[in-house]
């Protein structure tokens, strides 16, 4: 997905066609889209979670955790931002990032 503006907003609700981000397959689909935009030249990708009522760690591990796998994604070339999450979702996101960093970066 080539992006000449270098910035893109991915509306999770539109991608999933539901307000539930609740399994690993949905997470894989979002990761694939993030990766396609990054490979197309996007320098900043915002994940908009507005309208999403439920997020679980299986989704977050696959959609966002895989961003820390240097064999799959280069975070130094593309910033990924998140907006529209409530406090509980942010706590799950923080945990998913912590686990991903340990798994992929060996921190």
């Amino acid at each position: 997905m080539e992006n000449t503006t270098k910035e893109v907003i991915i509306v999770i609700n539109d991608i999933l066609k539901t307000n539930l981000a609740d399994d690993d397959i949905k997470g894989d689909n979002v990761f694939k889209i993030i990766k396609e935009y990054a490979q197309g030249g996007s320098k900043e990708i915002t994940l908009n979670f507005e309208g999403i009522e439920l997020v679980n760690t299986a989704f977050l591990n696959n959609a966002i955790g895989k961003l820390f796998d240097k064999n799959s994604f280069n975070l130094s070339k593309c910033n990924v931002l998140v907006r529209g999450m409530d406090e509980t979702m942010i706590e799950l996101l923080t945990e998913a990032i912590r686990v991903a960093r340990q798994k992929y970066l060996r921190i």
Side-chain angles (χ1 to χ4, degrees), residues 15-37:
I15 300 301
L16 301 181
K17 307 286 190 240
T18 179
N19 61 359
L20 305 175
D22 61 347
D23 69 47
D24 56 341
I25 295 169
K26 291 176 185 174
D28 286 337
N29 292 337
V30 170
F31 176 75
K32 180 181 174 190
I33 291 168
I34 295 168
K35 188 173 177 179
E36 287 173 359
Y37 275 114

Side-chain angles (χ1 to χ4, degrees), residues 81-96:
L81 309 172
V82 176
R83 75 172 188 212
M85 286 187 150
D86 66 26
E87 188 175 323
T88 302
M89 292 177 192
I90 291 170
E91 289 174 6
L92 289 174
L93 174 62
T94 301
E95 179 62 14

Side-chain angles (χ1 to χ4, degrees), residues 43-89:
K43 299 297 180 196
E44 184 174 288
I45 299 171
T46 299
L47 305 177
N48 183 344
F49 280 84
E50 292 173 9
I52 297 295
E53 294 181 17
L54 175 71
V55 172
N56 70 13
T57 55
F59 173 85
L60 292 172
N61 289 340
N62 287 27
I64 297 174
K66 286 183 178 179
L67 297 174
F68 291 88
D69 181 356
K70 291 180 182 181
N71 295 320
S72 297
F73 194 83
N74 188 345
L75 273 174
S76 67
K77 292 188 177 186
C78 181
N79 291 321
V80 179
L81 309 172
V82 176
R83 75 172 188 212
M85 286 187 150
D86 66 26
E87 188 175 323
T88 302
M89 292 177 192

